[in-house]
Amino acid sequence: MMSLDATRLRAVVHKELLDYRRKRAIVVSMVLLPILFLVEPVVSIFVAAPSESSSALDSFVILPLLYMLLIAVVMPSTLAAFTVVGEREQGTLEPLLTTPLREQEFIIGKGAAVMIPSVALSYLVYGLFLLAVELFAHPAVATAVFHNGPILLALFLFAPLVAGWSVVVGMAVSVRASEVRVAQQLGMLASLPITGVVLLLAIGVIHPTFPVAIAFAAGLLVIDLITLRIVSRMFDRERLVIGTKATRS
Amino acid sequence: MAATATLSLARRTMVSSHSVRARTWKVEIDGSVVGSISNQRTVEFPVKAGQHLLRVKSTRYLLSPEESFEAVAGQVVKFSCHPRALSPIIFTRWLIWFLASLVKHDLWIGLEFVNTSSADIGATSFAVLENIPKIPAGASEIESSLSARPSGIGSGTITGTAARAPANPRSALVVSNLTKRFGERTAFSDVSFDVGYGEVFGFLGPNGAGKTTTVRTLGTLIAPTSGSATVAGIPLSPENGVEIRQRIAIMPESPGLYLRLTVTENLEYFAGLYGLRHATTRINDALEAVNLGDRASDLCASLSKGLRQRVGLARTLLSDPEIMFLDEPTSGLDPVASLEVHNLIIGLRQKGVTIFLTTHRLDEAEKLCDRVAFLNTTLRTVGRTAELREQLFKRSLRVKTLEPIGDPAEFFTRILAVEDWRPDGANTYVLTVSDPEVAAPEVTRALVSADVGVLFIGEAQHSLEDVYLELIADDAEARRS
Ligand SMILES: Nc1ncnc2c1ncn2[C@@H]1O[C@H](COP(=O)(O)OP(=O)(O)OP(=O)(O)O)[C@@H](O)[C@H]1O
Ligand SMILES: [Mg+2]
């Protein structure tokens, strides 16, 4: 059983959030990304022809809805890419590792600091989208959106789970990468499987129902935990400090 | 004396969090307080043969664990106690407290029976036993008579090179046969030394000698390839990493500050990482100590190299470490700032902090260090600076004359007390002698009778720099041959 210290965790999360706020590139992308991901769905909802049958409408609104899920995939992988290489490039990793901070605290603290803004922004975007639909969309389209219960549930349930996946994969890449830029590009690969699932849903291969949504959530949770375990194994102080793994003869 | 047994109670650290080191706990036997125990201490109490109840209490926690034990005359009953790691779910302590207290009494302090052995009371134990008030008695300061940490200059155990003391449990650092290789390259090899508590230990060596790698190894950042070490009394191993790091502080070669955060924010972060909650006073004290009080709210990006170095130093002061590793703390500092750092180190030493100082500056080592070690992949030598000088150099005289001596070779060979000579600049000669007190008058007489004007004659002082160059020259020679 790993023991985590609340004070140390809080210190890590607090410092990370503070650092994000001071970094212009991050602030800008945190503002732009949600707008980008909000515009597309809103536009497509407004151009939807209300004359279509309700079942056709139902499946039409799925894609714009799922599209918003990608915020929770893209943003964390960008941020998580910084976690290790970023600190190594700045030279702050060594002093950090001289403190009593445990590897697990490092991972969980940094992971949480990435998850918090990502999930919060995702929820904000969902909220704005639903509000826009409620207020301005054609009543038939609005009904279609709110009829898609499983998808709406999935959005809220999946946001933290897919963010978790991206964070863990992003950190794994960050441990191994030699540069932040490389890490960010590789980290983007994390979003591929999830984009794939979104596609399958959108083209109707998978039918969104409540049981399917729940099963997916459970599956994601399991995958998240397994990858977390794998990543915490990769955290070796020696590798973090000097970039290669300890060799003991 | 009635048939007695001994209860031996050891307090271990389970590093989890909250200022574990600070509090002393009360030890209660059969309902009355018999003494107290603080972190990393072992205390012994005489008890009558028979059944007893032991309880360890902290004023901080409502609940305390208890264990009953059977004492047989002449036996030592050993217990160990330790703070429990703070479970991650216990964020809202008060609520959990009431719920957990219904089922669990050792929630905060763990108490375990270790074993029973026949009495094997060493010298220290006797001293303690004599001081122990008869049971029952009020809380006493028993532990102060025990292994209190030495403080103040020179009270640490200092071992010379000639007779290396056996691994002393009270040494701050015990390093034996430590080796680190990076693939083919050996960073340092077969390094052994001891550092006593309260000592300032200088670690010198040329670029690439392995100084930084040694600091990283002892600081649990990288694992040694072979060999062993004890840091602050804890064996160096991956499992003990957190516990070791809790007691030491390392100032790396480059300060590594978060440039987008202010000085205070940087320090707040590290205070948090050391588990210190309300650290404002500590942070202010640390900043005052390095003379940065007025730059506290500046962004680190706006500081000069030297000022950043000082912030790095302030950071190591936060956690009140037992051992400080300073990797070239004055590199990049102006003379005034260097002097301030020197004074800081002197102050820390007076407080009993053990300091492991890596430096290129020999004057610095000479001024600050109780002992120095020279590393050049292998440990070349360890000792007090004065000892090293004597060890490496024969004593010598320095002679400066008004005009050059006609034939110095002939002149000096004629003087019996002079073993060897060499010129050292214009009209200056360095003479190797076995006893300057015999040689100096003899040389003076010879000079006077040869009608040479004497400007100066005196014993040559070797600086640490000479020692250093001598050692490095040896190495270069060894490599060539
Ligand atoms: N990560 C690494 N991988 C491979 N070799 C390394 C690594 N780190 C250090 N070394 C090698 O180990 C040796 C010792 O390096 P170290 O940094 O400990 O020297 P140093 O005494 O601190 O030197 P300086 O005075 O320049 O700071 C050098 O030969 C160096 O090249
Ligand atoms: Mg170095």
Side-chain angles (χ1 to χ4, degrees):
Chain A
M1 171 62 208
M2 56 186 185
S3 71
L4 302 172
D5 180 279
T7 311
R8 291 202 289 259
L9 274 179
R10 204 176 311 134
V12 174
V13 174
H14 178 252
K15 176 255 148 193
E16 288 294 303
L17 295 180
L18 198 61
D19 208 23
Y20 290 159
R21 267 185 280 156
R22 304 266 166 88
K23 197 163 180 183
R24 176 138 9 121
I26 290 182
V27 173
V28 168
S29 70
M30 277 193 194
V31 174
L32 283 186
L33 264 179
I35 294 175
L36 219 68
F37 280 94
L38 191 55
V39 168
E40 212 272 359
V42 169
V43 169
S44 58
I45 290 294
F46 280 86
V47 300
S51 55
E52 300 211 29
S53 74
S54 68
S55 72
L57 264 182
D58 272 3
S59 51
F60 175 80
V61 296
I62 289 176
L63 188 59
L65 282 173
L66 287 174
Y67 182 71
M68 290 185 293
L69 189 60
L70 293 182
I71 305 176
V73 182
V74 174
M75 183 138 49
S77 71
T78 333
L79 292 181
F82 277 99
T83 50
V84 184
V85 207
E87 294 237 14
R88 186 154 61 212
E89 279 186 359
Q90 296 169 31
T92 49
L93 195 57
E94 186 172 353
L96 181 63
L97 294 175
T98 65
T99 68
L101 187 70
R102 284 171 198 274
E103 284 84 347
Q104 296 94 327
E105 289 161 350
F106 182 97
I107 298 174
I108 292 175
K110 293 236 170 196
V114 175
M115 296 267 290
I116 291 167
S118 307
V119 173
L121 279 174
S122 298
Y123 284 176
L124 181 73
V125 167
Y126 301 165
L128 288 176
F129 174 79
L130 293 180
L131 193 71
V133 168
E134 174 70 28
L135 292 180
F136 308 115
H138 189 278
V141 180
T143 315
V145 169
F146 289 108
H147 260 181
N148 267 301
I151 294 276
L152 290 181
L153 172 76
L155 280 185
F156 283 91
L157 209 56
F158 284 13
L161 293 171
V162 296
W165 157 263
S166 286
V167 169
V168 175
V169 174
M171 281 192 172
V173 171
S174 193
V175 174
R176 304 305 290 266
S178 53
E179 255 186 88
V180 170
R181 227 165 338 140
V182 177
Q184 274 176 333
Q185 281 154 7
L186 288 176
M188 282 293 180
L189 295 179
S191 57
L192 281 185
I194 290 167
T195 320
V197 173
V198 168
L199 262 174
L200 291 182
L201 275 164
I203 61 178
V205 176
I206 304 171
H207 292 285
T209 59
F210 279 110
V212 168
I214 301 286
F216 258 94
L220 264 173
L221 189 64
V222 171
I223 293 173
D224 277 3
L225 292 178
I226 293 173
T227 23
L228 184 62
R229 276 200 87 96
I230 296 173
V231 171
S232 37
R233 294 260 167 75
M234 290 171 60
F235 265 64
D236 173 90
R237 248 157 227 277
E238 179 147 351
R239 171 146 58 199
L240 297 188
V241 180
I242 61 174
T244 51
K245 197 163 158 37
T247 46
R248 195 169 175 111
S249 61
Chain B
M1 225 187 184
T4 55
T6 306
L7 168 73
S8 164
L9 181 66
R11 178 168 163 191
R12 292 178 289 131
T13 317
M14 290 270 153
V15 172
S16 66
S17 61
H18 54 306
S19 58
V20 237
R21 279 189 277 157
R23 310 261 164 173
T24 49
W25 294 340
K26 285 183 184 148
V27 181
E28 214 181 81
I29 299 180
D30 300 331
S32 40
V33 178
V34 294
S36 61
I37 182 166
S38 63
N39 199 24
Q40 292 295 324
R41 297 284 160 73
T42 303
V43 289
E44 296 187 346
F45 305 99
V47 288
K48 292 208 182 76
Q51 193 78 28
H52 297 283
L53 186 70
L54 166 68
R55 185 179 284 159
V56 178
K57 286 173 122 173
S58 166
T59 48
R60 184 154 174 187
Y61 310 130
L62 289 175
L63 308 165
S64 47
E66 53 186 41
E67 288 286 336
S68 62
F69 65 95
E70 168 90 43
V72 177
Q75 276 192 336
V76 181
V77 185
K78 290 185 182 150
F79 277 89
S80 89
C81 58
H82 57 83
R84 289 247 184 243
L86 201 60
S87 154
I89 50 165
I90 306 182
F91 284 122
T92 47
R93 280 204 205 168
W94 285 95
L95 184 65
I96 304 279
W97 212 328
F98 285 113
L99 296 178
S101 66
L102 300 174
V103 285
K104 219 164 148 46
H105 282 273
D106 59 349
L107 194 61
W108 304 106
I109 299 176
L111 177 64
E112 282 124 29
F113 174 71
V114 179
N115 64 23
T116 311
S117 62
S118 55
D120 168 29
I121 301 170
T124 30
S125 316
F126 274 121
V128 174
L129 289 175
E130 276 158 22
N131 286 340
I132 289 185
K134 295 280 170 288
I135 301 169
S140 62
E141 277 299 303
I142 294 161
E143 49 157 325
S144 61
S145 68
L146 265 174
S147 53
R149 205 179 128 201
S151 59
I153 308 171
S155 57
T157 39
I158 294 169
T159 48
T161 29
R164 245 173 53 84
N168 186 335
R170 303 253 310 273
S171 288
L173 288 172
V174 182
V175 177
S176 45
N177 310 105
L178 210 62
T179 299
K180 176 68 190 179
R181 267 185 229 107
F182 295 108
E184 292 289 286
R185 176 173 287 126
T186 305
F188 59 84
S189 163
D190 202 23
V191 169
S192 305
F193 59 86
D194 279 21
V195 178
Y197 271 116
E199 198 180 353
V200 178
F201 189 78
F203 209 55
L204 305 168
N207 291 126
K211 304 182 295 294
T212 300
T213 311
T214 309
V215 169
R216 284 176 171 174
T217 309
L218 294 177
T220 76
L221 292 183
I222 59 183
T225 312
S226 63
S228 63
T230 308
V231 180
I234 306 165
L236 190 68
S237 74
E239 310 82 66
N240 293 340
V242 176
E243 205 167 330
I244 291 176
R245 290 196 298 275
Q246 191 96 48
R247 288 148 178 256
I248 64 174
I250 302 177
M251 180 180 167
E253 257 172 333
S254 60
L257 304 173
Y258 295 94
L259 300 182
R260 284 185 294 273
L261 305 190
T262 66
V263 171
T264 311
E265 283 161 355
N266 265 285
L267 296 183
E268 273 168 355
Y269 181 34
F270 276 77
L273 294 176
Y274 280 100
L276 306 167
R277 280 273 193 84
H278 308 288
T280 321
T281 354
R282 266 170 194 271
I283 291 172
N284 291 339
D285 290 350
L287 285 175
E288 282 312 317
V290 296
N291 240 331
L292 270 182
D294 54 336
R295 306 298 292 263
S297 48
D298 288 14
L299 285 184
C300 284
S302 72
L303 300 183
S304 69
K305 180 170 189 265
L307 294 180
R308 289 181 195 177
Q309 194 86 352
R310 286 201 243 169
V311 179
L313 199 59
R315 195 172 56 194
T316 58
L317 298 175
L318 287 176
S319 61
D320 224 349
E322 287 175 36
I323 308 177
M324 281 174 68
F325 292 88
L326 305 177
D327 201 350
E328 298 178 28
T330 53
S331 78
L333 296 191
D334 66 36
V336 176
S338 298
L339 195 66
E340 279 166 9
V341 171
H342 290 172
N343 290 337
L344 193 68
I345 291 175
I346 292 168
L348 287 168
R349 176 209 208 203
Q350 275 162 2
K351 278 202 270 171
V353 180
T354 311
I355 296 175
F356 188 93
L357 178 74
T358 292
T359 181
H360 280 135
R361 293 183 45 187
L362 300 156
D363 57 324
E364 182 170 289
E366 197 147 27
K367 174 176 169 190
L368 299 173
C369 300
D370 295 305
R371 284 190 307 144
V372 292
F374 284 90
L375 182 78
N376 200 1
T377 311
T378 54
L379 200 64
R380 308 284 307 145
T381 183
V382 191
R384 295 176 169 281
T385 43
E387 280 170 15
L388 287 183
R389 275 185 230 131
E390 279 176 25
Q391 199 177 311
L392 278 166
F393 296 96
K394 291 207 154 178
R395 307 185 76 181
S396 51
L397 285 181
R398 191 181 192 79
V399 178
K400 197 169 164 69
T401 55
L402 209 52
E403 63 271 4
I405 298 175
D407 183 359
E410 209 252 320
F411 179 80
F412 287 122
T413 12
R414 265 196 285 118
I415 306 170
L416 280 178
V418 176
E419 292 172 10
D420 196 9
W421 75 278
R422 66 183 163 87
D424 185 35
N427 306 347
T428 309
Y429 310 88
V430 176
L431 315 179
T432 309
V433 298
S434 47
D435 187 354
E437 283 173 24
V438 175
E442 220 171 290
V443 173
T444 318
R445 267 195 299 277
L447 287 169
V448 170
S449 59
D451 211 16
V452 179
V454 181
L455 269 184
F456 171 86
I457 179 161
E459 193 172 354
Q461 285 292 320
H462 286 287
S463 67
L464 199 55
E465 187 163 352
D466 297 329
V467 178
Y468 180 88
L469 293 174
E470 179 82 13
L471 281 169
I472 302 309
D474 280 358
D475 279 355
E477 237 163 70
R479 223 170 290 133
R480 242 177 279 127
S481 60

